Amino acid sequence: MYGLLLQSAIEIIRAKYGQETWEQIKVMLHLDLNSFSAFQQYGETLFVRITKILSETKNESVGDLMNTFGLEFVSYISNYGYDRVLRILGHNMRDFLNGLDNLHEYMRYTYPRMRPPSFYVEKETAHGLTLHYRSRRRGFVHYVIGQITEVGRRFYDTDVVIEIVSEREEFDVTHVVFELKFENTAYVKQATADKDSTELDLTIDCHIFFELFPFHMVISETLEIISAGDSLTQLFPNIVGELIRDIFNLVRPIITLNWSQIVLHSNNVFEFSTIEPLRKQMNENDLQINDARQQNDSEMLLTMTAQRDVQEEYLRLRGQMLYVHEWKAIIYLATPVLENLDVMFNTGLFINDLSMHDSSRDLVLAGTQQSAELKLALDQERQKSKALEDSMKKLDAEMKKTDLLLYQMIPKKIADRLRSGEKAASLCETFESCTILFSDVVGFTSICAVLTPMEVVSILNEMYTKFDKCLETHNCYKVETIGDAYMLVSGLPERARNHAAEIIDMGLDMLDAIVTVSNPTTGEKLKIRIGCHSGPVVAGIAGIKMPRYCLFGDTVTTANKLEQHSKALHIHVTDATYKLLDRKSYEVQERAKMPINGTISITTYFILNKKDRSGKAIQRPFHAVLEAMKKQETEDAKKKQSNTLKGGISQNISIPAPGPVPVAPQENGTVQALAANPLASAPKENGINEEPTPPSNVPTIPIEISVPTKHLAEDDMTVRLMQSSLMKTSMNSEQLVKTSEVISDRQDSTKSLNRQSRSRACILL
């Protein structure tokens, strides 16, 4: 099958169903070609396979699609100038149908290997006719119906209604009988003219008639050749008396070679080819074969590598069959098919063997002169076609790269709608439920402070590349990245029911990926925090320059706040997202309520891990980093607490107080201190503090600070420093008594100091 038919089908599919449909068909058929060359041959079944796949994709019947292809094919070939060939076939629709079988004969030079179907007309009436269609291809019945219908409408202004009367398979040939209904006015005019015509009695001698047609044959009812032309007799001396089927093969029309079929197809061109070659040229291959025959028959099979073109060795006749009533026989008026002089030499014919009254001699000589030019033009056309195909392949590859880049920036569904001409405002769409994820790197500002710009870009590129690879296994869409922030969404632009689970699984993979990225300066693993929220959003294209697919709504703001309140290597989700998850599949930790939008508080959760089918937690790579981080935090807290305990006693006791604060160890291992009493007396000689009766306006606050005796024994130096500080405080007690009036005025300040003493005492405890 020539590429002209296939290319017309492709153009129709692109125009009616879009380029995307053709791309799907190419993928299903494993085709690499983006177009077909009109003069190149392809698989016989490819056209039908394309139609069947299109039928399954668009849920349309194969017959309707074939009919559409046939209708549009007539319009398509008009662009190549073939409409003029269709117009000259006849004055009206009747003439076109009677000459339809010869249509492909006029195009044999352009398409020499064409396998044309066969048509013939019978049972003509004033309201239509019966058309027989035979073809070695299957599945093109409705294609032919569409073509004939469109030709009648476009070229002859005739509405043709076609019905299938019968359809059957004869060996490898499909035979279909059509009933065509139209206004057959030409038939009525011819029938009237035949009645009014007068016959002329003009007799002619048969020998004169036979000289005019040197390649004729007179065939009897038994298909015996009872007479032949002089040129045929020279080629086949014993041709008279032989059956026509014993010497010739019928090439076309596709019928059974018998008397009745020949009479029915008298309007068709008959083409015969000899069964045996007329003259075989001896070439190198033939010499090798003859030598091999003398040596060994098995070796001969190995040397027969070249295959000759059999059309140049066999005589082909093309002509018309006419029934002669007076002879009770059929006369076949034929001429040999000779494309050039080489064919004539190979068949043993000469110029004087051809008739003078037709153009046979001129065609052979002109064909020889033009064959070189035509061959050169054909070679140039093939080279141009090959270069065009290569350019189309490169263009197709570049278009795929462009599409891939575009689809990485904008969802494919939205990009295709923009290509079709839709405005950006019409692409806005509301999604009732989706899940949004935000993430950022913990301490990224401090990390960047010690890195060069190239190192920062390198870290971000490595991190985002790993995240993007995780996207390939999840139904999520990457919205944008700003600095170290990474934004994802699931549930749009393609809606999904499990969008929350997709986002959580993606978040866990992101945590696994981030622990493989290290700070180039310190070698410390990077850590991210993640926040997720589910709810409605509005999505669309904003702007003209550098268009981006953006999301709008409170859901975006809430997800961002969840990320800000998350912890390192944790996934922080709201109650809305938590309710959409399968709780048996995830390990969850509930957190305290968090205020959202000022007054509204919601319950939030940490997604700690995912469980397998048996309910066991899956150990992931980031868990080891998380455990090490928690262990380090615990050790740092212990060191800080120990440092506070060691330095907190002296610091608390040595704070200047408005009165003496005597401290002495007791029997139970505790130390008693009297604080916040500005009128406390100085220590007595026995070293035991006695508490005087304070004035009514100055309260006395006893504070017991429990310090284990064991610690006092182990840290004598600390106790000595404490006692020295207390002694210095007692020496200043007299000066404090003198200023008691001033201190009483500062009662509020004394209460504040008392509170500080309590808090520090609590720290010591």
Side-chain angles (χ1 to χ4, degrees):
M1 177 180 292
Y2 280 94
L4 181 66
L5 277 71
L6 296 170
Q7 186 63 28
S8 68
I10 294 175
E11 298 296 336
I12 295 168
I13 292 173
R14 288 173 175 169
K16 188 174 181 180
Y17 301 102
Q19 178 67 23
E20 182 179 356
T21 302
W22 170 238
E23 294 296 334
Q24 293 177 358
I25 295 175
K26 283 176 56 180
V27 172
M28 298 178 71
L29 290 176
H30 305 288
L31 290 177
D32 296 332
L33 297 175
N34 196 40
S35 62
F36 296 93
S37 175
F39 305 103
Q40 185 176 345
Q41 285 188 307
Y42 300 91
E44 291 290 335
T45 62
L46 184 56
F47 193 101
V48 178
R49 289 162 60 195
I50 290 174
T51 308
K52 289 182 178 180
I53 293 176
L54 181 62
S55 173
E56 296 173 357
T57 305
K58 299 302 178 181
N59 197 21
E60 298 183 23
S61 65
V62 176
D64 292 341
L65 291 175
M66 277 294 199
N67 198 325
T68 302
F69 287 154
L71 290 171
E72 298 296 335
F73 177 76
V74 178
S75 302
Y76 178 77
I77 61 175
S78 298
N79 300 328
Y80 290 87
Y82 293 119
D83 55 333
R84 294 179 294 176
V85 178
L86 297 176
R87 290 178 186 274
I88 64 173
L89 285 181
H91 297 279
N92 47 58
M93 191 65 186
R94 175 178 179 265
D95 293 345
F96 171 80
L97 294 173
N98 279 282
L100 184 58
D101 188 69
N102 303 325
L103 171 63
H104 299 87
E105 181 66 23
Y106 307 142
M107 303 170 65
R108 72 180 187 274
Y109 294 106
T110 307
Y111 304 98
R113 297 183 180 180
M114 183 167 42
R115 298 173 58 189
S118 176
F119 298 91
Y120 78 92
V121 175
E122 68 174 4
K123 298 180 182 179
E124 288 192 69
T125 65
H127 304 289
L129 52 81
T130 300
L131 180 66
H132 290 258
Y133 161 74
R134 286 185 174 89
S135 176
R136 290 186 174 88
R137 294 191 180 100
R138 299 181 181 180
F140 285 83
V141 176
H142 293 276
Y143 190 76
V144 173
I145 292 175
Q147 289 177 328
I148 296 175
T149 304
E150 182 63 15
V151 167
R153 184 194 66 81
R154 178 183 289 263
F155 300 123
Y156 301 106
D157 196 19
T158 302
D159 294 331
V160 183
V161 179
I162 303 177
E163 296 179 359
I164 300 176
V165 178
S166 64
E167 182 178 358
R168 64 179 182 272
E169 301 292 334
E170 299 174 353
F171 299 104
D172 60 338
V173 177
T174 300
H175 181 199
V176 183
V177 179
F178 297 117
E179 185 70 28
L180 277 66
K181 296 180 180 180
F182 61 96
E183 293 296 328
N184 196 357
T185 56
Y187 172 77
V188 177
K189 291 180 180 180
Q190 182 179 357
T192 305
D194 291 342
K195 291 180 181 180
D196 298 338
S197 64
T198 58
E199 297 182 359
L200 298 177
D201 186 11
L202 299 177
T203 59
I204 185 174
D205 187 72
C206 62
H207 295 288
I208 297 176
F209 183 82
F210 293 160
E211 287 180 3
L212 294 175
F213 301 97
F215 289 92
H216 83 277
M217 288 185 292
V218 179
I219 305 169
S220 67
E221 191 172 353
T222 60
L223 301 185
E224 180 184 350
I225 301 173
I226 58 179
S227 176
D230 295 339
S231 298
L232 276 180
T233 306
Q234 292 180 6
L235 296 175
F236 301 96
N238 300 322
I239 189 174
V240 178
E242 297 287 340
L243 295 178
I244 190 173
R245 65 168 61 95
D246 293 338
I247 300 178
F248 296 97
N249 286 326
L250 179 63
V251 178
R252 54 188 305 253
I254 307 173
I255 60 172
T256 303
L257 187 60
N258 55 48
W259 177 269
S260 60
Q261 290 293 323
I262 293 175
V263 173
L264 285 174
H265 293 77
S266 59
N267 290 331
N268 295 73
V269 174
F270 279 75
E271 182 177 339
F272 289 93
S273 175
T274 57
I275 297 176
E276 296 293 334
L278 294 181
R279 179 181 297 176
K280 191 171 184 179
Q281 300 294 329
M282 299 297 290
N283 54 22
E284 295 179 359
N285 292 331
D286 297 326
L287 294 175
Q288 291 178 3
I289 293 174
N290 291 334
D291 294 339
R293 283 175 179 171
Q294 299 175 0
Q295 296 175 2
N296 195 316
D297 291 340
S298 61
E299 294 180 2
M300 177 190 67
L301 297 176
L302 298 177
T303 57
M304 293 177 62
T305 56
Q307 185 176 359
R308 306 258 333 254
D309 189 356
V310 296
Q311 291 185 354
E312 294 184 358
E313 301 175 358
Y314 297 82
L315 176 65
R316 287 190 299 153
L317 299 176
R318 184 181 292 116
Q320 183 181 8
M321 293 282 190
L322 291 176
Y323 175 70
V324 182
H325 181 71
E326 291 79 8
W327 299 350
K328 302 295 181 182
I330 293 176
I331 184 170
Y332 178 50
L333 304 176
T335 56
V337 180
L338 305 171
E339 286 85 359
N340 50 53
L341 294 178
D342 293 336
V343 178
M344 181 176 290
F345 291 147
N346 291 337
T347 54
L349 294 176
F350 296 90
I351 289 294
N352 63 346
D353 292 331
L354 305 178
S355 60
M356 299 178 60
H357 62 82
D358 60 12
S359 302
S360 300
R361 299 184 180 185
D362 296 336
L363 288 175
V364 173
L365 296 176
T368 302
Q369 297 173 8
Q370 295 179 0
S371 60
E373 298 178 1
L374 292 175
K375 185 177 181 181
L376 178 61
L378 183 59
D379 291 341
Q380 292 177 351
E381 185 66 25
R382 288 177 178 174
Q383 291 177 1
K384 292 180 181 179
S385 178
K386 183 71 167 92
L388 182 60
E389 288 183 4
D390 295 340
S391 300
M392 291 298 294
K393 288 181 180 179
K394 294 179 180 178
L395 179 60
D396 188 48
E398 294 299 326
M399 288 182 62
K400 288 182 179 179
K401 293 180 181 179
T402 305
D403 292 342
L404 182 61
L405 180 61
L406 178 62
Y407 295 154
Q408 289 177 352
M409 299 176 61
I410 301 176
K412 184 177 183 299
K413 175 182 176 183
I414 304 300
D416 292 339
R417 292 175 64 183
L418 282 174
R419 277 179 173 174
S420 63
E422 293 189 39
K423 295 183 179 180
S426 63
L427 300 178
C428 292
E429 189 175 359
T430 301
F431 295 88
E432 294 76 13
S433 180
C434 68
T435 302
I436 298 175
L437 178 147
F438 277 95
S439 74
D440 71 344
V441 179
V442 178
F444 187 70
T445 304
S446 60
I447 293 174
C448 295
V450 296
L451 299 178
T452 64
M454 291 303 299
E455 289 176 334
V456 173
V457 173
S458 177
I459 290 178
L460 291 177
N461 179 63
E462 181 182 1
M463 179 178 68
Y464 289 152
T465 301
K466 294 179 181 294
F467 290 172
D468 293 342
K469 288 183 179 180
C470 296
L471 274 175
E472 297 176 359
T473 57
H474 298 284
N475 186 18
C476 300
Y477 175 71
K478 177 182 175 182
V479 180
E480 61 180 346
T481 57
I482 302 176
D484 63 322
Y486 196 80
M487 181 180 178
L488 297 175
V489 64
S490 180
L492 65 86
E494 299 295 338
R495 289 176 169 82
R497 298 182 60 183
N498 61 334
H499 51 81
E502 289 285 349
I503 281 291
I504 298 303
D505 294 343
M506 176 65 187
L508 293 173
D509 288 347
M510 290 172 63
L511 295 179
D512 289 340
I514 195 61
V515 296
T516 62
V517 183
S518 303
N519 186 335
T521 303
T522 63
E524 184 181 356
K525 304 292 185 183
L526 295 186
K527 304 174 186 62
I528 61 171
R529 55 188 179 187
I530 297 175
C532 305
H533 179 54
S534 302
V537 297
V538 175
I541 300 293
I544 300 176
K545 301 295 183 181
M546 292 292 293
R548 298 291 296 174
Y549 191 64
C550 304
L551 308 181
F552 307 92
D554 290 338
T555 304
V556 181
T557 306
T558 304
N560 191 16
K561 289 185 177 180
L562 264 288
E563 177 265 322
Q564 295 174 1
H565 290 79
S566 182
K567 295 171 61 178
L569 298 180
H570 282 73
I571 301 177
H572 195 196
V573 301
T574 60
D575 187 59
T577 304
Y578 175 68
K579 290 179 179 179
L580 296 175
L581 297 174
D582 183 8
R583 302 177 186 179
K584 298 180 181 180
S585 301
Y586 297 94
E587 184 179 344
V588 182
Q589 176 185 347
E590 183 175 354
R591 300 193 72 194
K593 289 188 176 182
M594 188 182 77
I596 299 293
N597 295 331
T599 59
I600 303 175
S601 298
I602 60 174
T603 304
T604 60
Y605 303 86
F606 277 148
I607 306 298
L608 303 179
N609 203 351
K610 187 174 182 179
K611 301 178 182 178
D612 56 15
R613 295 182 178 180
S614 61
K616 296 181 180 179
I618 302 174
Q619 187 65 25
R620 307 183 71 98
F622 78 91
H623 286 151
V625 180
L626 182 61
E627 292 298 329
M629 184 182 69
K630 290 182 178 180
K631 185 177 180 181
Q632 184 65 33
E633 290 178 352
T634 303
E635 293 178 356
D636 293 344
K638 289 181 179 179
K639 290 181 180 179
K640 185 176 181 181
Q641 184 178 4
S642 175
N643 294 335
T644 304
L645 288 173
K646 290 181 179 180
I649 297 178
S650 59
Q651 182 180 1
N652 291 336
I653 301 303
S654 64
I655 292 176
V661 187
V663 178
Q666 304 295 319
E667 295 179 357
N668 57 359
T670 63
V671 179
Q672 179 158 345
L674 298 178
N677 187 357
L679 299 179
S681 60
K684 295 186 179 181
E685 295 179 356
N686 55 6
I688 300 175
N689 296 327
E690 291 184 2
E691 183 177 346
T693 302
S696 60
N697 59 345
V698 180
T700 301
I701 303 175
I703 299 177
E704 285 191 0
I705 302 175
S706 298
V707 180
T709 307
K710 180 180 179 181
H711 288 272
L712 293 174
E714 293 177 354
D715 199 354
D716 295 336
M717 183 62 67
T718 303
V719 175
R720 292 173 183 174
L721 291 174
M722 180 186 65
Q723 290 177 353
S724 174
S725 178
L726 291 177
M727 290 297 294
K728 292 180 181 179
T729 305
S730 300
M731 293 173 63
N732 296 329
S733 60
E734 294 180 358
Q735 297 177 0
L736 293 174
V737 171
K738 294 179 181 180
T739 59
S740 61
E741 293 181 357
V742 179
I743 293 175
S744 63
D745 294 335
R746 297 168 59 187
Q747 185 176 0
D748 293 337
S749 178
T750 304
K751 293 180 179 180
S752 177
L753 291 173
N754 290 339
R755 295 192 187 96
Q756 294 180 4
S757 299
R758 292 194 190 96
S759 63
R760 288 179 170 81
C762 292
I763 292 175
L764 292 174
L765 291 173

